Amino acid sequence: MIDVTLESVSKRFARGGDTAAVADVDITIAAGEFFTLLGPSGCGKTTTLRMVAGFYFPTSGRIRFGTEDVTRRPPNKRDTGMVFQNYALFPHLSVAQNVAYGLKIRKVGRVESKRRVEEALGQVHLAGYGDRRIDELSGGQQQRVALARALVIRPKTLLLDEPLSNLDAKLREETRTEIRRIQQEAGTTGIYVTHDQAEAMAMSDRIAVMQAGRVQQIGAPQEIYHRPATSFVARFIGRSNVLTLPVQGATERTVTVGLPGGGEIDVPAPADHGLRQGETAQVSVRPEHIGLTSTTEAGALPGRVAELEFTGMATNLVVDTAGERMQVAAVDVPAGIAVGDQVGLRLNRDRMWVVRP
Ligand code: ADP
Ligand code: MG
């Protein structure tokens, strides 16, 4: 395992027009960490991963493995194992032949190769499957063969690009736990790409949230969820209401904002918020951090139920308040509540957070 550093990495494609596919990305991934690049389709995740693998070279910036500069080193000299969304297995070769591929290229001897293939198949819980043909395996098993093929060369970094997207929902959840276990047991640095925020949260030590080629925020899943840096992160990770509210005062770590319909509230903020009285603040509040109460409760935000949906675990509501439509996920709702009812919303101030636009 090895730490991986990207320093101001940018990539422009010859046919990419004016916009960079990846712009000024700075990331330091610790040795042994499971690190995820997360963001919507087209935000530059694959391009970033391919620069780490060496399939693309950056237009500018540096990539280091440990202290070594690998920016322009070819892929086969980087000790990286790569797993793709479509598995990219050779259908006419057996499982063992597929896994042995990287060893053959590296001219590893027959006896040693056989031993390492068995070891890698054991790591992914496919011991005894070596003689099978690829088309005799399920999608999940094929994905494990792809993992074994990446691991057999004992890579310093394991790079995975949306490896679960071709699996059905249940298998996806099982396999994500498996991938995490395999990465830990192999003792390699894992860099994982996904557009699925739940998957990223469940698997990762840390996540970089990307949008339009840029990193919006890097942090542990809890940090990104509870203290999103920007309105984009707040909305992309889970669900969130992002309210635009007038600033009535500010200290280093709180911003006092006026609420629609009167009243004010002190909201926790990052130290660099830079907001002053007279400006507007963007405030994120998650649906599960809003309680339902009566319209008469002091400090409650009055509103009218516009939509209501019972999901079992919670009731999801859309409530129209003065100027804002709020999403609410309430575990406790008054019996008989219906669309059109007047309700009060109790905002959990401590769970609100000031974000950048
Ligand atoms: P993601 O993996 O997050 O979906 P990509 O890294 O594949 O995103 O793509 C980022 C951007 O770069 C997109 O706008 C995509 O169209 C563009 N792009 C990717 N590969 C190429 C290429 N080979 N040539 C030109 N543009 C590309
Ligand atoms: Mg991609």
Side-chain angles (χ1 to χ4, degrees):
M1 65 173 104
I2 198 164
D3 55 276
V4 175
T5 313
L6 288 81
E7 281 172 23
S8 312
V9 168
S10 297
K11 178 68 182 176
R12 286 174 179 279
F13 289 106
R15 272 192 259 239
D18 284 344
T19 50
V22 171
D24 294 322
V25 165
D26 279 300
I27 299 177
T28 302
I29 299 164
E33 189 172 24
F34 195 102
F35 190 93
T36 295
L37 304 170
L38 169 68
S41 176
C43 73
K45 307 179 294 294
T46 293
T47 304
T48 304
L49 198 71
R50 291 179 77 91
M51 288 191 282
V52 175
F55 297 126
Y56 297 152
F57 293 153
T59 310
S60 59
R62 302 253 135 250
I63 298 178
R64 285 179 225 285
F65 287 181
T67 53
E68 284 180 72
D69 188 328
V70 299
T71 312
R72 302 207 150 250
R73 188 182 287 183
N76 58 349
K77 301 267 161 56
R78 291 193 186 204
D79 274 335
T80 55
M82 180 112 184
V83 179
F84 304 90
Q85 173 176 349
N86 59 8
Y87 317 146
L89 297 170
F90 304 110
H92 57 286
L93 299 182
S94 70
V95 166
Q97 286 167 331
N98 266 280
V99 175
Y101 181 74
L103 299 174
K104 204 167 160 191
I105 288 179
R106 285 171 176 76
K107 307 225 173 351
V108 174
R110 204 176 55 83
V111 177
E112 170 71 0
S113 171
K114 190 161 183 293
R115 201 178 61 71
R116 295 218 351 220
V117 167
E118 274 166 22
E119 178 187 272
L121 286 175
Q123 278 178 295
V124 300
H125 293 175
L126 279 182
Y129 281 70
D131 293 333
R132 295 268 192 113
R133 283 190 358 211
I134 295 300
D135 59 12
E136 292 172 335
L137 302 180
S138 70
Q141 288 170 331
Q142 290 185 24
Q143 190 52 275
R144 285 161 193 260
V145 175
L147 261 168
R149 185 182 55 181
L151 289 169
V152 78
I153 61 161
R154 300 194 180 136
K156 290 193 183 118
T157 58
L158 180 62
L159 311 180
L160 306 115
D161 192 352
E162 312 240 10
L164 305 181
S165 15
N166 289 349
L167 305 179
D168 65 49
K170 185 162 179 294
L171 195 57
R172 232 176 10 239
E173 278 190 24
E174 286 166 19
T175 312
R176 76 186 185 199
T177 318
E178 271 293 284
I179 288 180
R180 169 83 200 191
R181 173 189 67 76
I182 290 164
Q183 177 265 341
Q184 299 278 303
E185 286 178 9
T188 171
T189 306
I191 310 182
Y192 190 88
V193 160
T194 183
H195 65 274
D196 181 328
Q197 50 97 15
E199 199 172 289
M201 304 263 274
M203 298 176 80
S204 316
D205 293 314
R206 285 188 309 149
I207 298 169
V209 183
M210 295 182 71
Q211 185 203 20
R214 290 180 185 274
V215 172
Q216 294 260 315
Q217 185 172 11
I218 298 176
Q222 293 83 349
E223 197 177 332
I224 284 177
Y225 189 82
H226 292 299
R227 293 192 294 281
T230 64
S231 58
F232 173 81
V233 176
R235 290 197 177 99
F236 190 73
I237 309 288
R239 293 188 301 150
S240 198
N241 300 287
V242 180
L243 311 175
T244 302
L245 300 171
V247 176
Q248 299 185 343
T251 64
E252 202 192 334
R253 301 305 300 257
T254 55
V255 174
T256 307
V257 292
L259 292 174
E264 58 177 47
I265 192 167
D266 292 338
V267 178
D272 61 353
H273 65 76
L275 290 165
R276 298 200 196 157
Q277 189 170 1
E279 297 177 335
T280 55
Q282 304 261 299
V283 175
S284 160
V285 53
R286 298 212 175 265
E288 67 268 31
H289 297 144
I290 304 176
L292 283 184
T293 179
S294 70
T295 47
T296 53
E297 186 178 294
L301 199 60
R304 179 183 161 278
V305 177
E307 289 170 29
L308 185 143
E309 169 194 82
F310 178 65
T311 69
M313 195 150 53
T315 300
N316 294 328
L317 304 99
V318 175
V319 177
D320 283 332
T321 63
E324 304 274 1
R325 297 205 101 189
M326 304 277 279
Q327 298 181 63
V328 179
V331 178
D332 276 326
V333 294
I337 189 170
V339 170
D341 286 358
Q342 298 293 324
V343 291
L345 299 182
R346 196 193 296 127
L347 306 180
N348 184 345
R349 188 197 80 86
D350 296 334
R351 294 298 192 92
M352 294 168 75
W353 184 248
V354 172
V355 298
R356 292 198 307 278

